[in-house]
């Protein structure tokens, strides 16, 4: 089934105003996402925040079902909805009982927020952080990963799609290895969710973190964590309140049995409902057609950029996603980003510090990042190319 482009563009008011190629930053939301948030904010203003949440409880609860459907989780009880992907990832990571001498394996393209948490834990607990080398084409090398696995490896934590390019790490192959060796597998799906089909059962991850505002086209300030039912009991969140844990007596508490032990009581319900609307919108279109069109547009953009003698495409990986990165000879990327923004074309710059291991290895300067979504059209790609030096 192909995507009805004129409908999705009509549904997306932002497409009338800008050519938006910053979907890996924060995508343009469709009308149902905007409406869901505004309607709830208006309800809160009209009847009171607590009363509005009570009134909308069924729709709020249904967001968990939508997310479980999106990632093919076994149950809604495996989903926690939190502030963003970093909180989701941190709540998962800091819950894992790691000890002196335990090893964490990660990828070269790992995201900065995750890596500093590794380093802090190494400093605090004496765990060892090892980076799995990449193949020649740029993906995490699963043969090397397999060879590095032993009983000291307690966690493999990898970014599915890194922030700085079109690379897709081999998530299911990593899952087979972690399963064979009994290590936990935490997948950062912040950039892949909403862009491509994600099936946690096929991938075999124990934990997965994601955000709302990027390829899912949801609101800012909302994200979610998936925690596989069978491992929830062994994970004690680093921060709890009396929603995450029942206060059972003056001296005791009991953690919730489900993934909501990673949440806390106060919530941005408008954003939560907006996230649910975003997930439902993506599911209604279908993740397969979304993924197909994103790849098609990204291939076109990469080809057109590569035709320019003054432009070098920087993406690595044997199969690429919608994040297209490039440099323009002798030009400051931040200046180009601003010049384009002045013309109503949004792209971003990926700074080496957000993926320091990969950036150091590839000697990357700040690079331009144009991330395409299915609602972009060919005319917008023409406009972007016309506007580049
Ligand atoms: C790979 C990756 N992981 C995690 C994050 C953090 O997401 P959030 O800003 O929602 O916490 C980002 C943000 O760009 C990212 O690209």
């Amino acid at each position: 089934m192909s995507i009805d482009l004129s409908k999705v563009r009509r549904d997306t008011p932002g497409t009338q105003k800008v050519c938006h190629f910053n979907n890996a930053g924060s995508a343009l939301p469709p009308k149902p996402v905007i409406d869901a948030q505004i309607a709830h904010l208006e309800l809160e203003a009209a009847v009171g925040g607590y009363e509005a949440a009570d009134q909308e409880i069924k729709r709020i609860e249904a967001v968990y079902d939508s997310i479980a459907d999106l990632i093919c989780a076994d149950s809604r009880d495996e989903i926690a909805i939190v502030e963003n992907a970093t909180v989701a990832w941190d709540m998962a990571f800091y819950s894992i009982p790691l000890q002196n001498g335990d090893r964490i394996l990660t990828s070269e393209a790992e995201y900065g927020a995750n890596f500093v948490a590794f380093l802090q834990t190494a400093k605090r607990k004496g765990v060892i952080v090892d980076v799995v080398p990449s193949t020649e084409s740029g993906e995490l090398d699963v043969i090397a990963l397999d060879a590095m696995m032993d009983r000291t490896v307690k966690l493999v934590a990898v970014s599915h799609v890194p922030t700085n390019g079109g690379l897709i790490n081999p998530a299911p192959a990593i899952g087979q290895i972690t399963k064979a060796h009994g290590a936990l597998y935490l997948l950062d799906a912040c950039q892949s969710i909403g862009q491509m089909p994600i099936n946690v059962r096929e991938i075999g991850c124990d934990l997965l973190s994601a955000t709302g505002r990027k390829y899912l086209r949801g609101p800012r300030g909302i994200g979610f964590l998936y925690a596989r039912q069978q491992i929830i009991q062994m994970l004690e969140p680093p921060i709890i309140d009396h929603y995450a844990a029942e206060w059972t007596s003056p001296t005791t508490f009991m953690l919730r049995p489900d993934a909501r032990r990673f949440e806390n009581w106060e919530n941005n319900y408008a954003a939560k409902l907006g996230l649910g609307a975003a997930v439902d919108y993506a599911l209604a279109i279908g993740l397969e057609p979304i993924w197909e069109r994103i790849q098609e547009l990204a291939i076109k953009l990469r080809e057109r950029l590569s035709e320019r003698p003054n432009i070098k495409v920087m993406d690595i990986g044997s199969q690429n996603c919608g994040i297209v990165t490039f440099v323009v000879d002798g030009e400051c990327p931040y200046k180009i980003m601003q010049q384009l923004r002045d013309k109503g074309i949004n792209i971003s710059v990926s700074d080496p510090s957000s993926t320091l291991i990969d950036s150091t290895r590839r000697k990357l300067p700040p690079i331009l990042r144009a991330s395409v979504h299915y609602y972009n059209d060919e005319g917008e790609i023409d406009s972007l190319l016309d506007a580049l030096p």
Side-chain angles (χ1 to χ4, degrees):
M1 205 183 69
S2 68
I3 294 175
D4 182 346
L5 189 60
S6 43
K7 181 186 179 314
V8 294
R9 288 181 69 79
R10 268 200 316 279
D11 283 352
T12 309
T15 58
Q16 303 302 312
K17 296 210 178 323
V18 288
C19 295
H20 194 68
F21 293 110
N22 193 11
N23 295 292
S26 185
L28 296 177
K31 273 286 270 161
V33 171
I34 306 164
D35 292 346
Q37 292 176 84
I38 293 174
H40 195 74
L41 290 175
E42 282 174 349
L43 186 65
E44 285 183 338
V47 305
Y50 290 19
E51 294 73 11
D54 285 347
Q55 208 170 303
E56 292 299 312
I57 189 69
K58 275 202 181 122
R59 290 198 311 130
I60 292 164
E61 284 299 313
V63 179
Y64 293 85
D65 295 309
S66 297
I67 295 172
D69 280 355
L70 176 75
I71 60 170
C72 308
D74 281 338
S75 145
R76 68 205 304 277
D77 294 341
E78 297 178 315
I79 310 299
I81 300 177
V82 295
E83 293 90 323
N84 51 51
T86 303
V87 169
W89 191 96
D90 278 343
M91 286 302 272
F93 174 68
Y94 285 103
S95 296
I96 299 170
L98 294 169
Q99 289 172 1
N100 187 19
D102 287 345
R103 282 161 75 220
I104 299 169
L105 302 186
T106 189
S107 62
E108 287 185 330
E110 197 60 14
Y111 188 62
N114 306 350
F115 216 99
V116 294
F118 295 148
L119 295 178
Q120 186 193 45
T121 305
K123 198 166 117 190
R124 279 182 179 169
K125 292 190 172 175
V127 304
I128 298 151
V129 183
D130 284 330
V131 177
V132 182
S134 302
T135 60
E136 251 174 50
S137 53
E139 292 87 3
L140 177 139
D141 184 340
V142 286
I143 297 170
L145 170 66
D146 200 27
M148 289 166 84
M149 296 296 293
D150 62 26
R151 284 174 52 202
T152 64
V153 176
K154 293 292 171 342
L155 172 68
V156 175
V158 172
S159 292
H160 193 189
V161 164
T163 187
N164 69 335
L167 178 73
I168 307 165
N169 269 321
I174 296 170
Q176 281 172 16
I177 294 169
T178 53
K179 198 170 178 191
H181 292 271
L184 285 176
Y185 178 15
L186 166 54
L187 186 68
D188 175 342
C190 186
Q191 292 292 1
S192 53
I193 198 82
Q195 178 171 188
M196 59 188 73
I198 301 269
N199 180 327
V200 288
R201 282 179 246 159
E202 272 172 28
I203 290 174
C205 55
D206 299 295
L207 298 151
L208 175 144
S209 55
T211 209
R213 73 186 182 281
K214 296 178 187 286
Y215 275 92
L216 264 181
R217 310 182 63 197
R220 296 198 66 175
I222 196 100
F224 69 86
L225 173 67
Y226 156 80
R228 193 164 62 82
Q229 187 65 62
Q230 291 78 356
I231 63 148
I232 292 175
Q233 304 307 319
M234 63 173 272
L235 301 176
E236 179 154 346
I239 299 166
I240 54 168
D241 71 354
H242 54 311
Y243 177 80
E246 190 187 341
W247 192 9
T248 42
S249 81
T251 55
T252 57
F253 67 90
M254 194 163 74
L255 286 166
R256 286 182 65 118
D258 59 16
R260 293 194 208 185
R261 65 173 56 188
F262 301 106
E263 294 187 2
N264 54 58
W265 189 83
E266 174 55 1
N267 268 264
N268 183 342
Y269 287 104
K272 212 169 193 176
L273 286 164
L275 176 65
V279 172
D280 292 343
Y281 192 85
L283 288 171
I285 294 174
L287 270 300
E288 288 291 350
I290 287 173
W291 178 217
E292 217 171 276
R293 177 154 172 86
I294 288 173
Q295 289 177 96
E296 202 181 285
L297 287 174
I299 287 170
K300 263 185 205 152
L301 178 56
R302 275 191 202 95
E303 277 172 7
R304 302 264 316 264
L305 289 168
S306 305
E307 287 163 7
R308 296 273 188 95
N310 62 333
I311 291 181
K312 188 173 174 212
V313 173
M314 303 301 283
D315 298 319
I316 53 172
S318 48
Q319 188 200 4
N320 284 150
C321 68
I323 303 179
V324 179
T325 52
F326 57 100
V327 289
V328 183
D329 278 353
E331 301 280 347
C332 167
Y334 292 100
K335 210 166 137 195
I336 294 179
M337 179 178 78
Q338 191 54 52
Q339 284 164 350
L340 293 187
R341 192 175 294 179
D342 294 343
K343 294 178 181 170
I345 302 169
N346 296 337
I347 64 170
S348 65
V349 175
S350 194
D351 194 83
S353 63
S354 59
T355 45
L356 197 66
I357 306 281
D358 180 47
S359 304
T360 307
R361 181 181 68 91
R362 289 200 280 148
K363 298 187 178 61
L364 292 179
I367 52 179
L368 288 159
R369 184 181 75 173
S371 40
V372 300
H373 216 320
Y374 64 85
Y375 62 76
N376 287 126
D377 67 17
E378 280 74 1
E380 289 180 320
I381 291 184
D382 289 343
S383 302
L384 169 59
L385 281 144
D386 289 348
L388 284 171

